[in-house]
Amino acid sequence: MPLENHTAADLALADARHQARIDLAAAHRLAVRDGFHEGIFNHFTLRVPGTADRYYQIPFGLHWSEVTASCFMEVGYDGEIRAGEGNVERSAYCIHAPIHRLLDGAAAVFHTHMPYTSALARLEDPQILPIGQTELGTMMRTAYDPTYTGPAFDPAEGERLAGVIGDKTVLIMANHGVATVGRNVAEAYDRLYYMERVAQVQLYAMWTNRPLKRLPEEVVDHTISTYRGNAQRYGDRSNAEWHFDALKRILDRKEPDYKD
């Protein structure tokens, strides 16, 4: 291959990695704005573009409101820092590295204890109920982990969770929180956003102590079939990409330093 083609490929990869850092930083800042964060814990990670053995992670101790594109470490699937400086939070490594490694569609892995979904996860039956259109769009891609096993300080826990997720993209974790996966930051954040909205609306409806109006089974089946077979795209971009770009425009106006 001619040298100039190698150079073009290298530049394209460098651009992809730079944009990946910007998007991941934006997700952390947006999660603060949307109330998804919990202190300095919870984790958003992203597989480093062009690699199959490492992911971006913030150094332990940063508040998500401080995260910028330049702050990320590159952490290997073995837990070793390949680039950057800081401490690798143990539970982030033990949950995220195995999911990145085992699931092809898990370029982005987001785990939070966001309030409404975490409240739902603390119910004896945490399942999303078929009581609305947004609920159906989320429940069709949601898996449930019925067992909390304690703090995740062994990669075996991440391997177990990867098996529970399977071909789904949202995981409600009993007595714990939620995880979402995606092929990019936009997908993982979009799924996180709508999961929290679904949980919020369901809990509000339940708090009325009035009977819930469940959708008929044939409507549920038809709607889910429609979602699966006719995913509408505008300009050959997913809804998640449009949504995340809109959120970043808001962030650009209010917190432009996240790109630094």
Side-chain angles (χ1 to χ4, degrees), residues 107-128:
V109 181
F110 288 5
H111 168 57
T112 74
H113 300 166
M114 53 191 188
Y116 292 104
T117 304
S118 295
L120 192 65
R122 283 156 172 75
L123 300 181
E124 181 65 31
D125 181 1
Q127 292 190 63
I128 300 167

Side-chain angles (χ1 to χ4, degrees), residues 248-259:
K248 284 192 294 182
R249 287 195 296 274
I250 296 171
L251 202 60
D252 287 344
R253 293 195 295 270
K254 296 184 177 181
E255 302 178 44
D257 64 315
Y258 78 94
K259 295 181 178 180

Side-chain angles (χ1 to χ4, degrees), residues 44-66:
F44 287 178
T45 61
L46 178 68
R47 189 181 297 135
V48 177
T51 73
D53 66 349
R54 66 187 68 184
Y55 58 92
Y56 294 124
Q57 178 180 332
I58 63 171
F60 178 69
L62 279 184
H63 192 273
W64 286 9
S65 64
E66 302 177 283

